[in-house]
Amino acid sequence: MVLVDGVMRIATIANKVRQGGRVDRDEALELYAHAPTALLGELADGIRARRHPERIVTYIIDRNVNYTNVCVARCNFCAFYRPVGSAEGYVLGFEEIFRKIDETIELGGGQLLLQGGHNPDLPLEWYEDLFRSVKERYPQFRLHALSPPEVIHLTRMSRLTVPQVIERLIAAGLDSIPGGGAEILVDRVRRILNCYGKATADEWLGVMREAHRAGLRTTATMMYGHVETVEDRLEHMFRLRDLQDESMGSPAVTATQGFAAKAGFTAFITWSYQPEHTELGGFEATGIEYLRTLAVARIVLDNFDNLQASWVTQGGKVGQLSLAYGANDMGSVMIEENVVRAAGAAYCMDEIEIVRNVENAGFTAKRRNMHYEILGDPIFRERDVPRMLELAVARGDGDTSRPAELKNYAARSAAEKRLRQNPQM
Ligand code: SF4
């Protein structure tokens, strides 16, 4: 009898979803915990089809550049960071970043996803100078940069408020904010992951709220499969849904940047925790768990236009399957990746491979910008672009060079102060 009740409950919730109804937390938990995976896929695919009836799957050509790996936050799930003073720590120079932009443009890209560690020796002025110099050289190039914890880090370094830091970054050339550093937006979980100090759940959401108020579009992410419960994942999704409701009701106008006047999050991206080389250790969530999580996110986040497939962590084959579980975007033709690779995942797909997977799944592949506006057909069908069979890294092995311009900025750590005062370095 209990089993029959459960089946009936799931059937009732499924019908509500099919009719475009909004699920509450109990209904979402019922689906996540008990609905068959095929049913979750059917419901999520139905929502994807209603939002994107033209069967277009988008992707962006951009480069994921990590400007520094020096970080004081020390999240225990992170295999990328190096502590202050480490011989393996690096900061990219402006010229190195320009070279990466040149290579990105050659491959048809028009944007950097620029994120890095919380380096105490890079003041706000360094970011402003970098952004300005990128925009002077490449006026059309877009900067999707600095996740909310990096913005919080800059408020602490500069003693300015979040709106003030965002305003200065926009004035320097910031175009949008990536949703990194969200992990799970539940403070109990964040304390266990040692990422509560870098940004609480409210602080992460607060940066996004202010970014939306300032007229920026942003993305939202979720890293699951470590110490959280299914209820925590749903709490994360519902907090994002609430903020999206709030931001979509706000009069944010992005027309000044030449984009359509829409507000809030453009997309949601979820991926599983990658355990290799991390202090936290453990196992990676399975492919089925990924697909169930993606489908539930598509059902809960009914005010998000786009869900990305995370082929970078799940591989091309599960990435392709994501298109039947609610995803309508293949994310980035990632030219460079350092963070996920440090934790053991090293999947690579260039534009040809992404398009092959999209078309084989029965969709039309289109290039987009970070606002999910269609730019055109695959670039390799318009002109010759080099094939990219492995991802680039931030720096070549053994390259310990120090950018000359660092001397122009005030350091905070004793080790870095000594280096910047030494005329030989
Ligand atoms: S996840 Fe980001 S903030 Fe956390 S230790 Fe790694 S680089 Fe630092």
Side-chain angles (χ1 to χ4, degrees), residues 59 61 333 349-355 367 378-380 385:
Y59 63 93
I61 303 175
V333 172
M349 292 209 290
D350 65 2
E351 191 194 29
I352 291 176
E353 194 56 22
I354 284 183
V355 170
R367 275 181 301 123
I379 201 118
F380 71 85
V385 285

Side-chain angles (χ1 to χ4, degrees), residues 112-389:
L112 285 193
L113 167 54
L114 191 66
Q115 300 179 107
H118 299 191
N119 188 330
D121 298 311
L122 295 179
L124 179 57
E125 292 74 20
W126 181 88
Y127 295 85
E128 291 178 304
D129 289 347
L130 172 64
F131 289 9
R132 276 200 196 93
S133 55
V134 167
K135 290 294 177 148
E136 272 164 26
R137 278 186 176 227
Y138 313 92
Q140 302 305 319
F141 205 79
R142 299 294 182 184
L143 291 171
H144 183 46
L146 308 188
S147 61
E150 290 166 273
V151 173
I152 296 280
H153 169 69
L154 286 175
T155 65
R156 291 170 184 163
M157 298 254 294
S158 63
R159 301 196 179 156
L160 296 171
T161 63
V162 168
Q164 287 170 328
V165 167
I166 289 175
E167 188 185 336
R168 281 180 57 168
L169 293 171
I170 290 174
L174 177 70
D175 292 301
S176 62
I177 291 186
E183 333 310 355
I184 292 286
L185 292 170
V186 174
D187 285 339
R188 178 187 57 77
V189 174
R190 301 183 76 76
R191 284 194 182 91
I192 299 171
L193 296 178
N194 200 36
C195 66
Y196 176 80
K198 75 174 180 184
T200 65
D202 281 347
E203 283 174 328
W204 190 97
L205 290 158
V207 171
M208 289 311 198
R209 180 178 290 108
E210 294 301 338
H212 296 165
R213 283 182 181 158
L216 292 184
R217 303 302 306 274
T218 72
T219 56
T221 67
M222 179 175 85
M223 181 188 73
Y224 70 91
H226 32 82
V227 301
E228 86 290 354
T229 62
V230 166
E231 286 84 352
D232 292 327
R233 296 177 195 175
L234 290 172
E235 168 74 11
H236 180 106
M237 293 179 200
F238 278 89
R239 293 209 71 183
L240 292 177
R241 189 170 90 174
D242 289 347
L243 179 56
Q244 182 76 328
D245 276 345
E246 186 186 321
S247 292
M248 288 175 75
S250 78
V253 173
T254 54
T256 49
Q257 295 176 52
F259 291 108
K262 282 183 108 181
F265 296 110
T266 53
F268 174 76
I269 311 122
T270 187
W271 63 83
S272 54
Y273 159 60
Q274 305 293 306
E276 220 174 289
H277 307 130
T278 66
E279 187 186 328
L280 185 64
F283 295 96
E284 186 185 349
T286 66
I288 288 292
E289 190 156 10
Y290 172 73
L291 295 172
R292 291 182 67 85
T293 303
L294 180 70
V296 168
R298 183 60 286 179
I299 293 165
V300 171
L301 298 174
D302 59 355
N303 51 5
F304 277 61
D305 279 340
N306 304 290
L307 258 70
Q308 277 188 25
S310 178
W311 59 264
V312 180
T313 56
Q314 310 304 314
K317 292 183 173 60
V318 175
Q320 185 191 38
L321 267 179
S322 307
L323 302 178
Y325 283 78
N328 64 294
D329 184 89
M330 287 294 270
S332 163
V333 172
M334 217 171 271
I335 299 163
E336 173 175 334
E337 208 291 319
N338 303 287
V339 177
V340 173
R341 182 207 309 255
Y347 296 109
C348 175
M349 292 209 290
D350 65 2
E351 191 194 29
I352 291 176
E353 194 56 22
I354 284 183
V355 170
R356 195 171 74 85
N357 274 276
V358 169
E359 292 178 345
N360 177 256
F363 295 93
T364 303
K366 297 275 187 189
R367 275 181 301 123
R368 64 162 171 87
N369 63 18
M370 70 195 167
H371 287 196
Y372 287 76
E373 293 161 335
I374 304 287
L375 297 178
D377 291 329
I379 201 118
F380 71 85
R381 294 201 173 124
E382 293 175 8
R383 64 175 167 86
D384 275 346
V385 285
R387 290 244 30 200
M388 203 189 52
L389 301 176

Side-chain angles (χ1 to χ4, degrees), residues 71 73-75 77-78 80-81 116-118 183 198:
C71 188
R74 297 179 169 234
C75 309
F77 56 83
C78 177
F80 167 71
Y81 83 89
H118 299 191
E183 333 310 355
K198 75 174 180 184

Side-chain angles (χ1 to χ4, degrees), residues 398-413:
D399 180 353
T400 57
S401 59
R402 288 176 52 82
E405 71 269 1
L406 281 183
K407 284 184 186 300
N408 302 331
Y409 301 95
R412 289 168 75 101
S413 73

